[in-house]
Amino acid sequence: MEVILIRHTSVDVPKGTCYGQSDVPVATTFAEEAEVTRQKLEQYQPFDAVYASPLTRARLLAAYCGYPHPRLDNRLKEMNMGEWEMQLFDEITDPYIEEWYNDYMHLPTKGGEGFPQIYERVAAFLDELKTKDYQRVAVFAHGGVLICAGLYGRLFTEEDAWDHLVPYGGIQKIEI
């Protein structure tokens, strides 16, 4: 099965904001970015099913691309950044953040989740998807979710995962 993963477009928060699972608005450039994504997505259609994170930024892009009623799944939300949500990374005074920066692939955020937890969520979603009789599925989600899916699909390794972060509005394909 082909799984086409689409990252949401740019968001309207200050650069460097730790927004995670916060339901932030899309940037004023949404229509232009979404149109580029919609055009790129045409080469992968049709889809047997369309899924999305319930967060607005993913649902809006799905709707713009012609899927106003995707199947929403909480496992497709971005990583929960806990106490750091909606703070600028540079202004977080919690001393634990330095420890997290040094091992963010394994440690949880303060009061939130860590990469192993988001990977577990995404892997459970993809494991369930494999039980369906689909040939091609679209998934509108977030950067962290796409990194997890890329690892699941063996596109790259954990050591270089963040070098493969799909840009806003970008598309990644995996086979499961």
Side-chain angles (χ1 to χ4, degrees), residues 5-171:
L5 298 121
I6 306 99
R7 186 178 180 198
H8 63 81
T9 58
S10 300
V11 294
D12 189 18
V13 298
K15 187 172 175 66
T17 299
C18 177
Y19 56 90
Q21 288 189 359
S22 296
D23 206 7
V24 299
V26 294
T28 57
T29 55
F30 173 76
E32 295 88 353
E33 291 180 60
E35 181 57 25
V36 170
T37 302
R38 187 193 65 73
Q39 289 177 19
K40 288 180 182 174
L41 197 57
E42 286 178 354
Q43 68 180 303
Y44 298 104
Q45 295 169 335
F47 298 111
D48 299 313
V50 177
Y51 291 83
S53 160
L55 298 177
T56 302
R57 56 194 185 264
R59 288 186 298 110
L60 284 174
L61 184 56
Y64 187 96
C65 291
Y67 307 101
H69 304 290
R71 298 170 191 185
L72 303 180
D73 195 306
N74 283 324
R75 295 173 293 184
L76 298 174
K77 284 184 178 179
E78 184 58 280
M79 190 163 94
N80 179 347
M81 298 303 286
E83 295 176 19
W84 303 336
E85 290 267 339
M86 295 312 296
Q87 294 186 54
L88 292 171
F89 276 106
D90 291 344
E91 295 178 4
I92 296 173
T93 59
D94 182 348
Y96 174 70
I97 199 162
E98 289 304 320
E99 191 176 338
W100 181 77
Y101 281 150
N102 290 329
D103 196 12
Y104 58 85
M105 289 299 282
H106 302 101
L107 295 177
T109 59
K110 185 83 164 273
E113 64 184 341
F115 192 80
Q117 288 77 39
I118 187 176
Y119 181 84
E120 187 177 301
R121 285 195 275 117
V122 174
F125 169 80
L126 294 169
D127 286 344
E128 183 178 312
L129 202 58
K130 286 196 296 192
T131 69
K132 310 286 185 189
D133 190 26
Y134 300 142
Q135 298 301 308
R136 186 178 299 132
V137 175
V139 176
F140 292 83
H142 310 274
V145 171
L146 271 68
I147 291 290
C148 292
L151 286 167
Y152 184 96
R154 299 172 198 241
L155 297 181
F156 39 79
T157 65
E158 185 177 300
E159 290 73 36
D160 69 344
W162 293 100
D163 295 337
H164 299 278
L165 180 62
V166 173
Y168 290 118
I171 297 171

